[in-house]
Amino acid sequence: MPKAPKSPSKAKSNARARADPVSKKPKKAATKATDSVPIDPSQWRKSTIPANQTISKALAMKAYHLRASDMAELPYAPAETVLNGEYLKPMYLYKERDVERKAWERRGGPEAFDAYHEKLCSRRDAKAAKKAQSTPSTSRNAERPPTITIGRLSPVAGSSTNFDDLIHVGKSAKLFRIREQMPRWLWDVCNALIDRVNYSDPGIGPLLIRGTAREDMMREALEFSKTYPDRPRLRSPPTPEIDRLRAILDEAPHLPEDTQWRQFNGLERIYRSWPDEDYTYEWDSAYLGRVMTALVDILRVHGERCWRSVRWEVYDKYRECFEFHCFSYTNQTKWSDKGAYWLDGRYSEGVFNTSPRSKHPIGQQYNAMLPHRTPEDVRFVGKRT
């Protein structure tokens, strides 16, 4: 039997209902499925962080993705950090286990925190890869490690390739061949040191730094460069352990340019009687301990391959802090790099006892976790054989 036609009033009300979506009852939002995590915190895994290990507030918030309101609920101890060798800046130290626990509570457990951290890391890696693909580069530049800025070591601000060709190579075929064989960052550093020595004497100027004098010094530098491991092209992706190391490096004590052999906070002044009687500087025991503790954590969690990359970040920060005090050249010792122990592998007991690694108790554990110095276990990085 055919249905009766709708009345005009009913048809109008239906049309109004279709035109006005607000009049419809809202649908219930679908509930989002979440990963199953233990509700009872007593079922969470045990922390692997040492009970007495501390972390600064800035690093805690960055590494564990916490807010200032989260940190306000945790106990802390006031401390000081050193900037530019003499300026004391207040800081707050927290027990890292407390910080880790707070991050777990905020995300719903350790597994949920790990998943959240991995998601952020993947997102950052994807952005970095996209940026790297969009950055044009020539095949010649792609074959070379990145050039390191040398700051005040450079005698001419913003020195260009033309300056390098004119002063550092000139018409010398030997210097041209040496430049092609050396890592570019080390070529720049060695030449900058030669320039600084010569430009400091107005009577010499750029005359002595050309010709056979520079050829002899850079031929020594070429042999010197062969003791260095390969520099990685990309930095290691962030993890809580690597972020902790990078935050510690951001707080590194810097040696001022004009030292006058004074004492500086965060730095140890060391008397040296050979080859000349003077002083040298090193990070003090407390800061060395912080860096080596962070490296021990990286070795423990991520292994040797990750250490081979992040050691370069420590070394570059060391060179930045000590600038021209890091590299030296004398007729007796030739080239030397006092920061190269950050690139070196495991030392024997005799070498360890005379190295900066021995200045803090954690140094022995750090040294024991390292691979041999080189595959041949013969050379020291930054020293001639």
Side-chain angles (χ1 to χ4, degrees), residues 97-364:
R97 278 193 179 185
D98 293 346
V99 174
E100 181 186 53
R101 186 77 177 186
K102 174 58 69 175
W104 288 357
E105 291 172 357
R106 185 159 186 252
R107 301 298 166 191
E111 288 77 15
F113 170 76
D114 292 343
Y116 178 75
H117 182 75
E118 184 63 32
K119 181 180 74 172
L120 293 183
C121 290
S122 300
R123 190 181 300 167
R124 275 183 271 184
D125 292 346
K127 286 183 180 180
K130 186 177 179 180
K131 185 177 180 181
Q133 289 175 357
S134 62
T135 304
S137 61
T138 62
S139 59
R140 175 168 181 162
N141 288 336
E143 294 172 359
R144 288 180 173 175
T147 301
I148 305 300
T149 302
I150 16 181
R152 291 196 294 267
L153 277 180
S154 182
V156 177
S159 56
S160 64
T161 304
N162 291 335
F163 180 85
D164 185 63
D165 288 339
L166 177 65
I167 300 299
H168 298 160
V169 178
K171 297 181 179 180
S172 171
K174 292 180 181 178
L175 289 173
F176 179 82
R177 286 194 297 268
I178 291 170
R179 184 175 66 176
E180 294 303 300
Q181 296 176 64
M182 281 184 69
R184 186 55 186 262
W185 72 269
L186 194 52
W187 164 272
D188 289 339
V189 168
C190 292
N191 275 292
L193 181 62
I194 299 173
D195 294 340
R196 182 180 182 87
V197 170
N198 286 279
Y199 273 86
S200 64
D201 186 347
I204 297 177
L207 299 177
L208 183 61
I209 62 175
R210 301 191 193 188
T212 57
R214 185 176 289 269
E215 287 176 354
D216 291 343
M217 295 177 76
M218 292 307 296
R219 185 168 57 249
E220 295 281 354
L222 176 61
E223 295 304 311
F224 171 72
S225 72
K226 294 176 182 178
T227 67
Y228 284 79
D230 293 333
R231 178 183 284 274
R233 296 180 185 277
L234 298 174
R235 297 208 321 168
S236 294
T239 69
E241 295 77 22
I242 293 176
D243 287 343
R244 185 183 308 119
L245 172 66
R246 287 169 180 165
I248 291 171
L249 295 178
D250 287 341
E251 300 170 356
H254 284 65
L255 182 66
E257 185 173 12
D258 183 18
T259 65
Q260 298 181 0
W261 309 123
R262 292 172 293 164
Q263 293 278 14
F264 300 99
N265 291 321
L267 300 172
E268 179 186 1
R269 186 180 64 172
I270 303 168
Y271 173 74
R272 186 172 56 182
S273 60
W274 190 89
D276 298 308
E277 189 173 4
D278 61 5
Y279 289 93
T280 185
Y281 289 88
E282 180 56 77
W283 283 333
D284 67 12
S285 174
Y287 186 76
L288 286 172
R290 293 177 64 196
V291 176
M292 289 189 288
T293 298
L295 289 170
V296 165
D297 289 342
I298 289 173
L299 283 161
R300 175 174 51 81
V301 176
H302 302 293
E304 177 187 321
R305 183 176 180 182
C306 184
W307 169 81
R308 290 185 182 278
S309 175
V310 298
R311 61 177 171 173
W312 279 97
E313 296 184 41
V314 181
Y315 171 75
D316 287 339
K317 175 59 68 173
Y318 187 92
R319 280 204 308 113
E320 175 191 319
C321 289
F322 293 96
E323 296 198 86
F324 63 90
H325 292 274
C326 189
F327 277 80
S328 62
Y329 179 92
T330 67
N331 290 331
Q332 294 83 11
T333 61
K334 305 303 181 183
W335 291 98
S336 64
D337 177 1
K338 78 185 190 78
Y341 69 91
W342 291 111
L343 302 176
D344 250 330
R346 187 188 313 158
Y347 287 149
S348 63
E349 183 178 357
V351 177
F352 169 81
N353 290 336
T354 60
S355 76
R357 293 177 187 172
S358 65
K359 295 182 180 294
H360 191 277
I362 195 66
Q364 194 162 13

